[in-house]
Amino acid sequence: MNGIREAAQAALTELLAAAKLRQGEIVVVGCSSSEILGSRIGSVGSLEAAEAVYQGFAPVLAEQGLYLAAQCCEHLNRALVVERAAAERYGLDEVNAVPQMHAGGSFATVAYSRMREPVLVERVRAAAGLDIGGTLIGMHLKEVVVPVRVSIDKIGEATLVLARTRPKYVGGIRAAYNEALE
């Protein structure tokens, strides 16, 4: 489990370096602990693997003042676990469910148990995200999504896909753009 925690922390650290997020922004994480263990998504689940990922992420996010949005599985319509402070800051409507191993998934269950004041919301518009094991986080990212390549391409046996977002380009041939926002 130490290898999972270390890989998660390293991947997040590299993503955040590329994404250049501002304090208070949201990072969405979809995590299949089954895939981490080398099984098909949604088949075995592991609170231990999910806990290792959470332990890798939580200190880094806290240090940078970022909010975690832990995506639930499709049995909870990919709702997200967030801190109440994030829901209030972004005007997110709370929904009523408590994630469990087989209805929400291991990672969301761990996040719900570890956050200070967790709530579930239907959607977020995150500035960056990590998809561990093909969990399909795209619906929770702001436009425009930009893939990020880092030195780690797997956590355990799960494929890792990272993304950041950038503002849309508007204008046309006469427009000038702020390179710092790319």
Side-chain angles (χ1 to χ4, degrees), residues 120-145:
L120 256 64
V121 299
E122 280 191 287
R123 64 187 50 89
V124 299
R125 291 181 37 84
L130 297 94
D131 183 324
I132 305 167
T135 59
L136 305 175
I137 64 168
M139 65 192 283
H140 296 302
L141 290 166
K142 294 178 187 178
E143 296 176 355
V144 169
V145 177

Side-chain angles (χ1 to χ4, degrees), residues 54 68-70 81-83 110-119:
Y54 187 85
L68 170 66
V81 181
V82 298
E83 289 284 3
V110 168
Y112 194 90
S113 73
R114 295 290 189 183
M115 288 183 179
R116 273 182 247 129
E117 198 173 353
V119 298

Side-chain angles (χ1 to χ4, degrees), residues 61-182:
L61 293 170
E63 179 181 299
Q64 295 200 25
L66 300 169
Y67 291 114
L68 170 66
Q71 180 180 274
C72 296
C73 71
E74 72 275 11
H75 297 101
L76 292 183
N77 297 330
R78 289 186 174 49
L80 304 117
V81 181
V82 298
E83 289 284 3
R84 181 172 299 284
E88 290 173 356
R89 177 177 182 158
Y90 289 101
L92 306 173
D93 292 329
E94 183 176 354
V95 295
N96 190 0
V98 176
Q100 303 171 49
M101 283 278 294
H102 301 291
S106 300
F107 186 70
T109 299
V110 168
Y112 194 90
S113 73
R114 295 290 189 183
M115 288 183 179
R116 273 182 247 129
E117 198 173 353
V119 298
L120 256 64
V121 299
E122 280 191 287
R123 64 187 50 89
V124 299
R125 291 181 37 84
L130 297 94
D131 183 324
I132 305 167
T135 59
L136 305 175
I137 64 168
M139 65 192 283
H140 296 302
L141 290 166
K142 294 178 187 178
E143 296 176 355
V144 169
V145 177
V146 179
V148 175
R149 303 284 182 250
V150 297
S151 64
I152 296 165
D153 61 358
K154 288 190 173 206
I155 294 180
E157 297 299 315
T159 302
L160 181 62
V161 177
L162 308 175
R164 67 176 179 87
T165 60
R166 66 158 175 80
K168 293 179 184 180
Y169 293 131
V170 295
I173 196 164
R174 295 182 188 177
Y177 299 107
N178 182 345
E179 292 180 17
L181 296 177
E182 294 182 9

